Amino acid sequence: MPFTVIMSDSGVPSALVDAPQIGSSMNNNGARTDKHEQEAVYDIMKATGNGWATDIPDVCRGRWHGIECMPDKDNVYHIVSLSFGALSDDTAFPICDPNRSFISPSITKLHHLRGLFFYGCLTNNPQPIPSFLGKLGSTLQTLVLRENGHVGPIPNELGNLTRLRVLDLHKNNLNGSIPVSIARITGLRSLDLSINKLTGSIPHVTFSSLNILDLNQNLLSGFVPTTIGSCHSLLKLDLSHNRLSGSVPDSINHLNNLVLLDISYNSLSGPLPASFEGMKSLQALMLNANPMVYSTIPDNVFDGLKDLMILVLSEMNLHGPIPESLGLLSSLRVLHLDGNRLNGSVPVSFRNLSNLGELRLNNNELTGRVPLGREMAWRMKRKLRLYNNSGLCYDERNGSADDLDLLFDSGIRHCGTQNSGTGKTVQHVSTDTNMVGMANRSSAATDHKSLLLSTLLQLVIIFVYITRQ
């Protein structure tokens, strides 16, 4: 979900007056744009293939969507924000020429600049992130360089942007380690370095104001830092698709404002924390595809998570029984426990999961009757996956004995039916199992996309609200 936030100037000394930027204020007699900044804007626009801007006699008075200006006490206008790139069909930011665009050093002449946004601007002309951006440390609050094809390391000089609140370098080709200098940006609220090629370990972050930390889809290794528990304002923590090892630190339980936690697709070896009880606000928890060694699901590990909607514990080498306490998570909509070595029966408490729309218990060692009523099974249909549990069966007393398609789709048989079944039954279940197995491998990361998208959208709305206070 691409997004950016232009931060308010609260708490930052400035000679600018928070006044309207359009309408009569822009046309007051004597109002003018600082001439040195105007020349700098001309250079910046030409560097992105937008030479037409040089025909505008006053870039603030004749402003376009993508430039924002504010006056000082002498009614001289200064550029406070510049945005480039086709973020969506509805935006009208100046489009960059992808074959020859570059970020002009003239940006350093904009001494009041608070927000800088480049989206998909340098894709056919890959360049490093300019180190001269570090010279904007006295004013810059938002730096977004998304999907620009940037190469090379993250410059250490970005640590000089000590007033920065949003740093977004999502989906470039950056390599090297995360600079330790970033720790100097103590007021940072959103750090997104996802979908790059960053290596090394995660620095010991202690950002007290940080709301979003997204490092997913890199090549990061080492442990999840224990200091992550000191980032008490975190709403979203995504460390998925890296090479992290060790265990989930117990300090993570201190993140009582966290809404989304994703550490999936790493090399974490366990065990699971004894409890996530301190994470009262958690709505989505993904720990799947970590080879937990000899780990079980503790009986009360998720107690108190009344808002939890998504729980994904697939392919973690978990063994032992499924705890009855999972059936007390009344808000659950997605529950994935597939691809483990879980045994015993499906907890009777699962009948109480009235909001559940997707349940995966396939590829385990479960036995006994599945305690799901007809309405719940009907609601999930093909999102109820029970196959490859040779001891599981569906009780006809639950009201669906006559609905063979429903049973076939979930991958189990009627209780009382022999495992061999009729030729038709065996063939149908086998075919469906293969089909669902293939679908599971190809789309496991996207089956609950809509719910994740909904959760992330909530995060963005919350984040925008908080950062504008």
Side-chain angles (χ1 to χ4, degrees):
M1 294 182 61
F3 71 95
T4 185
V5 179
I6 302 300
M7 311 303 298
S8 69
D9 193 44
S10 57
V12 180
S14 174
L16 301 183
V17 179
D18 286 325
Q21 301 166 42
I22 56 175
S24 60
S25 293
M26 292 301 299
N27 296 311
N28 286 341
N29 291 333
R32 64 194 185 282
T33 300
D34 181 285
K35 64 179 182 179
H36 299 294
E37 293 187 32
Q38 173 140 320
E39 290 298 324
V41 170
Y42 288 160
D43 290 343
I44 296 164
M45 292 293 283
K46 285 187 287 187
T48 58
N50 291 287
W52 52 265
T54 57
D55 294 330
I56 300 175
D58 190 315
V59 294
C60 284
R61 187 172 300 189
R63 64 193 296 270
W64 61 86
H65 189 53
I67 183 172
E68 295 187 19
C69 305
M70 294 183 72
D72 61 20
K73 58 184 176 58
D74 297 320
N75 213 19
V76 175
Y77 278 83
H78 301 278
I79 288 84
V80 296
S81 176
L82 286 175
S83 299
F84 297 90
L87 183 60
S88 73
D89 293 339
D90 299 324
T91 59
F93 297 158
I95 305 299
C96 304
D97 183 334
N99 296 311
R100 60 186 183 90
S101 290
F102 64 95
I103 299 176
S104 170
S106 292
I107 283 177
T108 60
K109 299 176 183 178
L110 304 179
H111 302 300
H112 301 272
L113 194 66
R114 302 175 188 174
L116 184 61
F117 182 100
F118 282 86
Y119 177 78
C121 279
L122 319 173
T123 50
N124 296 343
N125 186 25
Q127 303 157 42
I129 295 174
S131 59
F132 58 71
L133 293 179
K135 296 180 180 180
L136 298 170
S138 61
T139 61
L140 198 65
Q141 298 177 35
T142 298
L143 176 59
V144 177
L145 305 174
R146 292 178 70 95
E147 301 185 35
N148 284 319
H150 287 298
V151 295
I154 300 173
N156 286 321
E157 288 82 358
L158 294 192
N160 297 330
L161 302 174
T162 54
R163 298 199 180 277
L164 210 60
R165 300 186 189 180
V166 175
L167 176 58
D168 188 339
L169 308 179
H170 165 81
K171 202 173 183 180
N172 288 288
N173 287 302
L174 300 170
N175 56 30
S177 59
I178 300 173
V180 177
S181 63
I182 287 180
R184 299 203 301 265
I185 313 175
T186 56
L188 202 61
R189 295 189 180 182
S190 178
L191 177 60
D192 189 341
L193 307 179
S194 59
I195 315 184
N196 281 288
K197 299 175 182 177
L198 299 173
T199 56
S201 59
I202 301 174
H204 289 281
V205 291
T206 55
F207 299 115
S208 60
S209 302
L210 194 65
N211 298 137
I212 294 176
L213 177 60
D214 193 341
L215 305 178
N216 89 81
Q217 295 189 55
N218 278 287
L219 304 173
L220 298 169
S221 57
F223 300 150
V224 178
T226 57
T227 53
I228 202 75
S230 64
C231 301
H232 299 294
S233 300
L234 271 178
L235 302 175
K236 172 188 175 182
L237 174 59
D238 191 344
L239 308 178
S240 64
H241 294 270
N242 279 288
R243 300 174 178 177
L244 302 173
S245 57
S247 59
V248 180
D250 289 335
S251 62
I252 211 163
N253 202 31
H254 299 153
L255 302 178
N256 53 18
N257 291 306
L258 199 67
V259 175
L260 184 148
L261 172 60
D262 190 348
I263 319 182
S264 61
Y265 294 94
N266 277 287
S267 299
L268 301 177
S269 56
L272 285 172
S275 173
F276 289 94
E277 187 175 5
M279 306 171 75
K280 303 290 187 183
S281 303
L282 203 60
Q283 295 184 25
L285 174 60
M286 285 78 74
L287 302 176
N288 51 301
N290 282 290
M292 299 288 183
V293 179
Y294 304 118
S295 291
T296 59
I297 304 175
D299 284 342
N300 302 310
V301 63
F302 304 117
D303 279 9
L305 303 187
K306 59 181 179 61
D307 295 327
L308 191 64
M309 294 190 295
I310 300 172
L311 177 59
V312 183
L313 304 177
S314 309
E315 300 177 6
M316 295 178 63
N317 201 32
L318 298 171
H319 66 279
I322 301 173
E324 285 276 348
S325 57
L326 286 186
L328 302 178
L329 302 175
S330 58
S331 297
L332 268 187
R333 299 183 184 180
V334 173
L335 176 59
H336 292 183
L337 300 174
D338 53 296
N340 288 293
R341 294 186 296 135
L342 299 169
N343 55 35
S345 60
V346 179
V348 175
S349 60
F350 276 26
R351 291 176 181 169
N352 302 322
L353 298 176
S354 57
N355 292 308
L356 199 62
E358 184 170 333
L359 175 62
R360 295 187 189 176
L361 301 177
N362 52 287
N363 296 313
N364 279 290
E365 300 168 7
L366 299 170
T367 58
R369 302 175 187 272
V370 177
L372 303 180
R374 177 180 183 136
E375 181 181 347
M376 181 179 290
W378 259 100
R379 183 171 65 247
M380 288 187 278
K381 294 185 178 179
R382 289 186 180 272
K383 291 186 178 181
L384 173 61
R385 299 186 181 181
L386 306 173
Y387 56 88
N388 287 353
N389 286 282
S390 59
L392 275 186
C393 64
Y394 201 96
D395 194 336
E396 62 183 23
R397 290 173 296 182
N398 286 347
S400 297
D402 57 339
D403 196 336
L404 292 178
D405 285 340
L406 184 61
L407 301 178
F408 289 146
D409 288 346
S410 65
I412 60 171
R413 58 183 173 81
H414 276 154
C415 296
T417 302
Q418 295 298 319
N419 281 333
S420 58
T422 64
K424 177 181 178 182
T425 301
V426 171
Q427 183 179 7
H428 194 165
V429 173
S430 174
T431 301
D432 190 63
T433 298
N434 292 335
M435 179 190 70
V436 178
M438 291 172 59
N440 183 39
R441 290 190 294 272
S442 65
S443 63
T446 59
D447 275 357
H448 52 280
K449 181 178 179 181
S450 60
L451 271 172
L452 281 173
L453 192 62
S454 174
T455 302
L456 289 173
L457 182 59
Q458 292 178 45
L459 279 170
V460 173
I461 294 170
I462 293 169
F463 176 62
V464 172
Y465 172 78
I466 289 175
T467 53
R468 288 185 179 274
Q469 300 307 302

